[in-house]
Amino acid sequence: MLRAVAALPRCFIGDLTVSGQPLGVHATRTDPVRVLEEMKRLAVEQLGAIPGALYRPVEQALQSPSASAESFHDQAALLVLRQHSASHVMRFRQQIAQGFDEFRTPRIRDVALMGLIDEHLIDFHLAGQRLAEILDQRYQQPLDAMKHRLIGLAAALRLESAGNPISPARLADAFVETFGDAGLPEALAGLMFRQYQQELARVLDDLYERINTLLADAGYDAVGHYAAANRAAPAAPVRSPSSLDEQVAPRYPQPPAFNSANVPAEYAAHPAHPAHPAYSHAAPASAPMPAATQHVSAELAGLRAQLRAWRTTDAPHAPHAAPAPYGYHPHRPPPPRRELRVQEVVSIASLLQPEPPDAYARALTVSGRLAEAIRAHLTEGARRLGLNPEQTRFSVDEEDAIDLVALLFESLFRTHALQDRARRLYARLVLPYVKVALVNDAMFVQPEHPARRLLDAITEACEDNSAATPQDRELLERAAAVSQRVVAEYNEDLAVFELAHAELEDLLVQQRRRTELQETRAAKATHGRERLNEARSQADTVLQRRLTAPPLTSAVANFLVTPWRHHLVQTLLRDGAESVRLADAVQLGNALVEADRLAEAGRGRELADRLLALQPAIVECLASSGLDDGAARHGMAGLVRELANPDTPRALHAAPPSDVSDEPAEEGSRLWLAGGTDTIAHDPGVAALMRRLQPGEWLRLTDAHGEAVSVRVAWISPLTSRLLLVNRRGLRVLVAAPEELAVLVGAGRLLVGAERTPFNEAMRQLKDRLDYAVGQR
């Protein structure tokens, strides 16, 4: 199919480049090929999007209160039909283009025997004939004039005879050829025919007028005959599209009224079915707007106003001006460029959706380039479908949708730690989300929107995920699979997003449990290290007092510095600062200092009695350092030998360096303090704000490498009031005091008050960017 699409521009506009002369008022009868190709371009451009515009009005008709209980079958069939919308648009465009090809190369069209056609196809053909008769009556005068002008055009092409390639009969046949094999129920087929007639009535007035003007300007004039026709017959009354509804497809009955009480469970259980609680659709225009809907509309209006002001003030991101339209003449003002209809842009995006997303992946590496890439890709897709970009343009709402999606995806990559391997995954989702924004822009303001929830789930799966474990790799693979599913299946049916989210959510539930375990381990490890550092600090204070005075022998000083200090730390950790065992351990140190004084004074008997009394405590102290009973007794003997000599030299000993330490989760990600938090310059007000943070609050942290990451307060230390910050995988990112966090806030590396979900945070960043750009801050 894609090869056929790529070939369409050649058959649509290939002959237009034969001559360098523009087609317009200067075209003459010597340019019949170019005139015919311009007619083809106009016809394909204006008629090509009609099939895609049929579904929503038909859906609303089926969901109206007047519908009966049997309409759920028609709604289910319509749901299937919409999934193939892109192929129907393509087939219809090919039928329109084929009419012009047959004009240049007349051939006998295939006619099937009535007995070989299925009954539902007979109904289709009869309804098509009736539609052609109605349109023939309505457009009798322009068709009559066009007929004689086409005779002149055929003569210039040296053709004996040729029919009108956009006659009502041809347009009816195009519809039958497009939807005839879709197996539509009778009621749904009738609604489709009636809606097709309304869409044709909206388009044909302008199209027939432009075709006649084109032929007349090119020299194929039928004014005389046209005037004669006006004198010969009164003008046919102009009927509104609604007045013709009852004349189309008389064999097809009106759809029965819809009654949700009679919907079978297999249909009602489907999330995309109107009977399902999760299904939402546009309310009828006459229905009063609920307060919640009014709030959403007001919020969207404000967002669009900001966006349009941003496009006006931010020149590099404004839509590029297109070249002069085809047929432009310097002595005449250029004709206005037609705005593409939303359904046309959606059809273009649907055809481009399966293509590789390399351009979007490259654009995501450079902020501000994604919108340009989207516009360029959609413009190229329009060219493939025969829509001349020099004569068409995006509407303001379509520009809004493109820019909002581009800014959203760029904000996600700017504010979340997404690895390079996730870039292609997100690039694949760009066009589906552009389509969602075109037909359902409530995604940007409704937290429960299916597309929004899916993007949150994918970001949760990808953020900080380096695929280091089998579980992380499985999560990345599942996220990639659901993105491919959205690309393959999404065609204006939000149920695809619901199903993809449910598929990914199963793994995310397991991931969240692992994250909770990681957070618990990180909190316990941090708490244990803080208790150890606190015990070491207290033991060092006690030791310092024993080493400063009086002078001690090396044996006693070494015993106090190593085994006794270690024994103090262990006792503090196991029994606490108020325990009896700690008091006994401190008393052991005091007794050894006193024994050293006795030895220096030569009071041998008292020293011997003191050492005998201290032997069990000394052996226990040595054993706490990992020595067995024999090694402990050997250490006791060495201490006794040195104290037995009164002349052993004694001196004051310096305290050893403190081994209080902390291990940062990532090198360079933590502030290292010299002298405590009181010595660093910080804002006391911000520090007070940091002390009020509670576990579960989200923040945005820029690490030492300049990468933004989502962090959450997982735990607050009861000893030091430091905060443990973890990422979405539960891994420790930073442990810092409130004063340290205040320094990070002042340096612009920490943002307090971040949103919990990635989509909300990206939208907040998007709004801040727009506010700043339009000068509201």
Side-chain angles (χ1 to χ4, degrees):
M1 179 183 293
L2 291 179
R3 293 179 180 175
V5 174
L8 283 177
R10 300 186 185 92
C11 70
F12 285 166
I13 60 174
D15 292 335
L16 299 180
T17 59
V18 173
S19 172
Q21 299 176 354
L23 179 62
V25 296
H26 297 287
T28 67
R29 301 179 72 112
T30 60
D31 307 319
V33 174
R34 297 180 59 206
V35 171
L36 185 63
E37 290 298 329
E38 178 67 4
M39 290 173 56
K40 178 198 287 189
R41 185 194 64 77
L42 288 173
V44 174
E45 180 180 290
Q46 296 199 26
L47 296 170
I50 286 181
L54 303 178
Y55 303 115
R56 187 174 297 276
V58 171
E59 180 185 28
Q60 293 177 353
L62 291 173
Q63 295 167 2
S64 65
S66 61
S68 66
E70 288 78 12
S71 68
F72 63 85
H73 293 294
D74 300 317
Q75 296 181 42
L78 182 63
L79 178 64
V80 175
L81 194 65
R82 293 186 71 165
Q83 293 175 351
H84 301 86
S85 173
S87 62
H88 291 146
V89 170
M90 175 58 63
R91 187 183 304 176
F92 185 78
R93 287 175 174 269
Q94 290 173 341
Q95 288 294 324
I96 300 299
Q98 184 178 333
F100 289 89
D101 295 338
E102 293 177 1
F103 184 91
R104 294 180 60 179
T105 310
R107 62 184 180 87
I108 301 176
R109 303 192 64 191
D110 297 332
V111 179
L113 295 176
M114 192 66 72
L116 300 179
I117 301 179
D118 292 339
E119 184 177 353
H120 77 279
L121 289 181
I122 297 176
D123 294 338
F124 242 73
H125 283 281
L126 292 176
Q129 293 174 9
R130 180 60 177 163
L131 173 61
E133 293 172 2
I134 295 172
L135 295 177
D136 274 328
Q137 294 175 6
R138 176 173 183 177
Y139 298 105
Q140 179 181 356
Q141 292 182 6
L143 287 172
D144 196 25
M146 193 185 305
K147 174 183 176 181
H148 290 81
R149 288 178 173 133
L150 289 175
I151 291 174
L153 181 63
L157 291 170
R158 298 181 181 179
L159 301 175
E160 294 183 359
S161 61
N164 187 345
I166 50 174
S167 65
R170 180 72 204 189
L171 296 179
D173 288 345
F175 184 86
V176 172
E177 293 294 332
T178 301
F179 294 99
D181 58 353
L184 302 181
E186 289 186 359
L188 178 59
L191 281 176
M192 293 286 287
F193 259 107
R194 278 187 286 274
Q195 188 59 37
Y196 180 58
Q197 178 184 337
Q198 292 187 26
E199 293 295 325
L200 284 178
R202 182 176 57 83
V203 171
L204 289 182
D205 287 319
D206 178 65
L207 177 61
Y208 283 167
E209 181 181 356
R210 294 181 67 180
I211 294 295
N212 273 317
T213 302
L214 174 65
L215 289 169
D217 289 345
Y220 304 97
D221 199 357
V223 176
H225 184 86
Y226 197 4
N230 288 340
R231 292 190 300 269
V238 178
R239 301 182 177 91
S240 65
S242 59
S243 67
L244 300 176
D245 286 347
E246 297 180 358
Q247 302 183 46
V248 182
R251 291 194 55 178
Y252 292 127
Q254 289 285 346
F258 177 73
N259 184 356
S260 59
N262 298 329
V263 177
E266 63 268 23
Y267 288 96
H270 197 285
H273 194 273
H276 194 276
Y279 185 90
S280 64
H281 55 81
S286 59
M289 184 178 294
T293 305
Q294 292 178 352
H295 173 72
V296 169
S297 299
E299 190 172 354
L300 277 173
L303 185 60
R304 288 183 179 276
Q306 281 187 311
L307 190 65
R308 292 164 189 177
W310 168 74
R311 278 204 300 268
T312 304
T313 57
D314 202 4
H317 298 90
H320 296 294
Y326 184 77
Y328 169 77
H329 190 271
H331 300 294
R332 289 189 176 186
R337 299 168 65 200
R338 182 181 69 83
E339 289 187 354
L340 291 170
R341 292 187 291 273
V342 168
Q343 196 58 44
E344 288 179 310
V345 182
V346 170
S347 299
I348 295 168
S350 297
L351 292 173
L352 299 176
Q353 192 167 295
E355 295 186 358
D358 298 336
Y360 302 142
R362 290 192 298 269
L364 281 172
T365 62
V366 182
S367 179
R369 298 296 299 274
L370 183 56
E372 297 178 14
I374 295 173
R375 287 189 177 91
H377 203 186
L378 290 176
T379 301
E380 177 58 27
R383 191 188 303 277
R384 296 185 198 175
L385 291 177
L387 298 173
N388 190 345
E390 298 177 353
Q391 296 184 347
T392 58
R393 62 185 176 88
F394 297 116
S395 68
V396 177
D397 289 343
E398 292 159 359
E399 295 281 3
D400 290 347
I402 293 171
D403 283 331
L404 283 173
V405 171
L407 291 173
L408 171 68
F409 276 70
E410 289 172 355
S411 296
L412 281 173
F413 268 83
R414 186 171 58 252
T415 58
H416 293 77
L418 297 172
Q419 308 293 328
D420 285 339
R421 70 187 67 196
R423 200 173 303 277
R424 188 173 180 84
L425 186 155
Y426 281 83
R428 195 181 295 125
L429 294 171
V430 166
L431 279 183
Y433 275 81
V434 168
K435 290 168 58 179
V436 173
L438 286 168
V439 301
N440 194 346
D441 56 2
M443 171 183 68
F444 296 105
V445 293
Q446 288 183 345
E448 296 302 319
H449 194 281
R452 186 169 183 149
R453 295 175 62 197
L454 176 62
L455 201 59
D456 280 336
I458 290 177
T459 304
E460 182 180 350
C462 295
E463 187 175 14
D464 293 311
N465 191 342
S466 58
T469 65
Q471 294 82 6
D472 287 345
R473 287 192 292 273
E474 182 183 8
L475 197 57
L476 280 179
E477 292 170 358
R478 183 69 61 84
V482 299
S483 70
Q484 291 172 345
R485 177 174 184 172
V486 169
V487 171
E489 299 180 9
Y490 174 60
N491 193 7
E492 302 182 55
D493 182 5
L494 294 179
V496 174
F497 292 95
E498 290 279 6
L499 296 175
H501 175 265
E503 182 178 343
L504 185 57
E505 185 68 15
D506 292 339
L507 274 185
L508 285 176
V509 169
Q510 302 175 25
Q511 171 64 32
R512 294 186 191 112
R513 292 172 183 163
R514 289 193 296 269
T515 298
E516 292 174 0
L517 292 176
Q518 290 281 8
E519 290 180 7
T520 302
R521 294 192 192 103
K524 288 182 177 179
T526 304
H527 190 210
R529 185 165 294 279
E530 286 192 345
R531 292 184 63 241
L532 176 61
N533 289 339
E534 181 72 15
R536 286 173 174 174
S537 178
Q538 294 181 21
D540 288 343
T541 301
V542 176
L543 175 63
Q544 182 70 25
R545 295 172 185 167
R546 304 305 181 272
L547 295 179
T548 53
L552 299 174
T553 61
S554 297
V556 174
N558 289 338
F559 184 89
L560 293 176
V561 168
T562 307
W564 182 66
R565 177 181 178 276
H566 181 76
H567 183 55
L568 287 177
V569 172
Q570 294 298 316
T571 305
L572 281 167
L573 291 174
R574 293 171 182 171
D575 302 294
E578 304 298 330
S579 64
V580 175
R581 289 193 63 195
L582 179 61
D584 292 343
V586 173
Q587 185 58 36
L588 172 62
N590 295 335
L592 284 174
V593 172
E594 183 64 26
D596 195 288
R597 291 179 181 176
L598 293 176
E600 183 181 13
R603 299 160 64 178
R605 181 174 294 278
E606 294 181 29
L607 174 63
D609 292 340
R610 178 65 59 86
L611 291 176
L612 286 174
L614 292 176
Q615 181 178 357
I618 293 175
V619 171
E620 180 184 358
C621 177
L622 292 170
S624 68
S625 298
L627 301 177
D628 57 16
D629 188 64
R633 293 183 184 280
H634 180 73
M636 175 68 182
L639 183 63
V640 170
R641 279 196 303 272
E642 190 159 350
L643 289 175
N645 184 3
D647 299 329
T648 302
R650 290 171 172 80
L652 297 177
H653 297 269
S658 175
D659 57 355
V660 176
S661 64
D662 198 358
E663 297 179 1
E666 181 180 350
E667 184 179 357
S669 65
R670 183 183 183 278
L671 288 175
W672 291 97
L673 306 180
T677 58
D678 293 336
T679 63
I680 63 174
H682 65 278
D683 187 337
V686 177
L689 177 63
M690 296 300 101
R691 293 189 187 95
R692 291 196 292 270
L693 292 175
Q694 297 296 321
E697 293 192 45
W698 286 90
L699 304 92
R700 302 292 307 167
L701 176 67
T702 303
D703 61 17
H705 304 295
E707 183 178 10
V709 60
S710 300
V711 293
R712 188 167 65 89
V713 179
W715 173 78
I716 300 176
S717 170
L719 296 176
T720 63
S721 298
R722 295 196 306 170
L723 292 85
L724 169 65
L725 306 182
V726 300
N727 61 17
R728 290 192 185 274
R729 319 224 78 70
L731 302 177
R732 185 175 73 166
V733 175
L734 181 67
V735 180
E739 293 80 5
E740 294 177 280
L741 295 181
V743 174
L744 291 175
V745 172
R749 293 181 54 192
L750 185 67
L751 175 65
V752 182
E755 298 289 345
R756 178 181 181 86
T757 64
F759 200 107
N760 286 347
E761 177 61 22
M763 287 301 298
R764 189 176 71 83
Q765 294 284 339
L766 186 156
K767 293 176 182 177
D768 289 345
R769 180 177 176 182
L770 295 179
D771 287 342
Y772 181 80
V774 300
Q776 295 185 8
R777 288 189 176 180

